[in-house]
Amino acid sequence: MFKRQGRSLSRITTVMLTTSLALGGGLFAAGAAAAADTPASGVTKAVIQSSMVSEKVDVAGKGTVDAGLFTLKTSDGGLLQTYCIDFDNPVYLDSGAQYHEADWAASSLGANAKAPMIRWILDNSYPHVNLTALAAAIKVDSLTAEDAAAGTQAAIWKFSDNKSVTLHKTNATKLRDYLVSDSNKGIAAEPKPSLTLSPDSVSGKSGGKIGPFTLNSSAAEVKLSIGGPAADKAKLVDKDGKPVGATLTGPIAKDTQLFLDVPGGTPDGAVTLNANASTVVPSGRVFMTDVDDDGNHSQTMILASSDKLSVNAAAKATWKQGKGALVDSSAKVECAKNGVTVSVTNSGDEAATVTVDKQQVTVQPGKTESVLVKVAEKAKYDIKVSGPNGYTKEFTGVLDCKVGVTPSSAPSTPAATGSATATPSGTPSTGAAHPAPSTTSAAPGTGGLAQTGANSNTPLLAGIAGALVVAGGAAVFFLRRRGRHGGNAA
């Protein structure tokens, strides 16, 4: 993927993209502005750091690259360690790539039969397993963090990108061979999200249940609250209409459904449903970046280790009393379908004709209609939704479902394939220096690893125009910094 260097109009969340609503002439979505203000879910805006725990390796057909662990830092200072599962795409460090948590279905893992093998590696290697235990498992006297990280990354690349890797260190090679051997039985289940609440917005008529909101979380406890001026007008209930308390204790059931009960005759209004939790994000969760102002989208990562983090999710509920169509829309990336599915719900009492990316659909009262918008791989998309009474909504992003596909800077749906915007280290390029690997960083959850830094390795600093940029997991890339509206630099 390409690394994000700025804010996109709207961000793909783990399960659903932003939603909004309209009823009659008095309430309508504000297009891109509404998308930008959508509350976040789970881990968002985790910024990639300039240091790695890594060693150089040789990748068949690609040259010498750095293989190992990346570190992401959340807004509250929590640390995540990740490996690359998207070898051929760079990481754009010059603006501090921001990652968000995502489901397998929104990434290349969704269609990868070897995904269970990758999850087994994460649960049975570094840093989930300490170095002493890992050395014993492969029958060596000791194992360095760099050997462990490089060997683990090489094993992951075999299953994520079908890459053949030659490691420079004997113990790293032994670890890689162990991780891809028959000892790897795979773990089929996809790990739970840290916290998601979807869709981001629902609408309905007062006098009944509004929803459902679907809650998923790996946390042992999720706190719930209703906010906004009309908070006293709505009660939180389950699918059977029974009151839901302020705290749900885990394990949280998969796809827990929540509703807001608004009495009949309640004046038109809206509330926000808030969910908060503190949890260690399960290994195996996918992390992806948003699209920056230049269309860059950094490579996909997979989580190896997590601090205990504070995560939150929020969704809006709006109700009306009057007659007419009451439209919401939401969207989700579906890699298996090679596109983005936009769902339109009509909670009103009149039919609504809605346009989704030039496709028209009629949504009857109380019904939901879905439209699949096909998107070319690695292409940007910009899907506009419009409906009765000035309703508009916009969903933007990049489809990043396959590995080994050249990124495209062309507009969406579908877009022509363009050329890569970065050069992998180890690949000759005019005027491109060969970047040195960064210093070793402490690994969360392992008690802290010693800083090495006793060689020629120097940390790469984000934000230096025209400087060196570390490539995600796969390599270290050299980039020239681009302007907000400028073209790519070679």
Side-chain angles (χ1 to χ4, degrees):
M1 283 186 243
F2 287 99
K3 176 88 169 79
R4 170 164 186 154
Q5 301 181 20
R7 293 186 179 179
S8 59
L9 292 177
S10 109
R11 182 185 68 74
I12 302 176
T13 61
T14 304
V15 181
M16 288 289 193
L17 287 168
T18 51
T19 60
S20 58
L21 50 95
L23 175 68
L27 184 64
F28 58 93
D37 295 336
T38 300
S41 293
V43 178
T44 62
K45 298 183 179 179
V47 179
I48 192 164
Q49 304 299 289
S50 60
S51 59
M52 288 180 66
V53 183
S54 64
E55 288 179 345
K56 291 195 177 298
V57 302
D58 297 326
V59 179
K62 299 294 182 179
T64 301
V65 301
D66 290 295
L69 273 170
F70 287 88
T71 298
L72 309 180
K73 188 174 183 178
T74 65
S75 57
D76 62 353
L79 297 180
L80 305 165
Q81 286 202 304
T82 59
Y83 287 104
C84 163
I85 55 169
D86 193 12
F87 181 93
D88 291 300
N89 286 332
V91 167
Y92 291 87
L93 267 181
D94 58 337
S95 60
Q98 292 186 2
Y99 278 79
H100 62 266
E101 190 180 349
D103 287 335
W104 285 7
S107 75
S108 59
L109 287 191
N112 186 346
K114 299 296 185 181
M117 316 298 279
I118 297 173
R119 188 171 180 201
W120 187 93
I121 290 171
L122 296 167
D123 281 4
N124 290 274
S125 191
Y126 180 76
H128 192 82
V129 177
N130 67 50
L131 295 172
T132 301
L134 206 52
I138 63 173
K139 298 179 173 58
V140 298
D141 292 336
S142 63
L143 194 63
T144 67
E146 291 79 12
D147 282 348
T152 303
Q153 179 66 88
I156 289 173
W157 277 336
K158 176 180 174 63
F159 296 128
S160 67
D161 294 79
N162 195 29
K163 297 299 183 186
S164 177
V165 179
T166 300
L167 294 121
H168 297 178
K169 302 290 185 65
T170 300
N171 286 355
T173 301
K174 288 183 176 181
L175 176 60
R176 186 273 313 276
D177 293 346
Y178 162 70
L179 295 174
V180 301
S181 71
D182 291 341
S183 296
N184 188 335
K185 304 301 183 183
I187 300 175
E190 179 177 357
K192 284 185 175 183
S194 62
L195 179 64
T196 59
L197 190 62
S198 63
D200 296 320
S201 176
V202 297
S203 59
K205 294 292 186 69
S206 57
K209 293 189 301 181
I210 299 175
F213 296 102
T214 300
L215 174 72
N216 279 289
S217 180
S218 61
E221 181 179 276
V222 175
K223 296 185 180 301
L224 302 168
S225 64
I226 300 174
D232 61 335
K233 302 295 192 293
K235 293 188 300 183
L236 187 62
V237 298
D238 64 15
K239 59 184 178 62
D240 298 319
K242 296 179 180 179
V244 174
T247 301
L248 292 179
T249 56
I252 306 300
K254 179 178 171 59
D255 295 336
T256 296
Q257 290 194 335
L258 301 171
F259 296 79
L260 289 171
D261 187 2
V262 180
T266 302
D268 297 353
V271 296
T272 299
L273 175 59
N274 299 298
N276 298 277
S278 180
T279 186
V280 172
V281 186
S283 61
R285 290 295 292 167
V286 166
F287 278 78
M288 308 176 79
T289 67
D290 303 338
V291 183
D292 69 16
D293 292 343
D294 295 322
N296 295 329
H297 195 207
S298 287
Q299 68 181 215
T300 306
M301 306 281 192
I302 193 163
L303 185 67
S305 176
S306 166
D307 284 348
K308 193 170 187 178
L309 307 173
S310 295
V311 290
N312 62 81
K316 186 178 181 181
T318 302
W319 60 86
K320 298 285 287 184
Q321 297 186 81
K323 292 186 176 182
L326 184 58
V327 177
D328 284 275
S329 64
S330 62
K332 63 179 178 179
V333 173
E334 294 194 89
C335 288
K337 297 180 180 179
N338 299 313
V340 178
T341 297
V342 177
S343 297
V344 182
T345 299
N346 182 5
S347 301
D349 48 23
E350 294 180 1
T353 299
V354 179
T355 302
V356 179
D357 195 53
K358 299 179 182 180
Q359 302 179 58
Q360 276 201 342
V361 59
T362 298
V363 188
Q364 297 298 328
K367 300 295 184 180
T368 297
E369 299 290 344
S370 295
V371 176
L372 176 64
V373 180
K374 292 284 189 177
V375 183
E377 178 62 25
K378 297 297 187 293
K380 291 185 289 186
Y381 58 81
D382 187 346
I383 301 169
K384 294 180 174 63
V385 182
S386 60
N389 307 303
Y391 175 86
T392 61
K393 194 61 187 176
E394 188 172 15
F395 303 107
T396 66
V398 166
L399 193 77
D400 197 357
C401 295
K402 300 176 183 178
V403 296
V405 177
T406 302
S408 169
S409 59
S412 69
T413 20
T417 300
S419 59
T421 61
T423 302
S425 64
T427 302
S429 62
T430 305
H434 183 72
S438 56
T439 56
T440 303
S441 61
T446 62
L449 300 174
Q451 298 287 330
T452 56
N455 50 27
S456 61
N457 300 343
T458 57
L460 297 179
L461 300 179
I464 301 176
L468 303 178
V469 177
V470 176
V476 178
F477 292 88
F478 179 80
L479 302 176
R480 288 196 185 99
R481 190 161 187 158
R482 305 190 305 173
R484 289 177 62 87
H485 304 289
N488 297 342

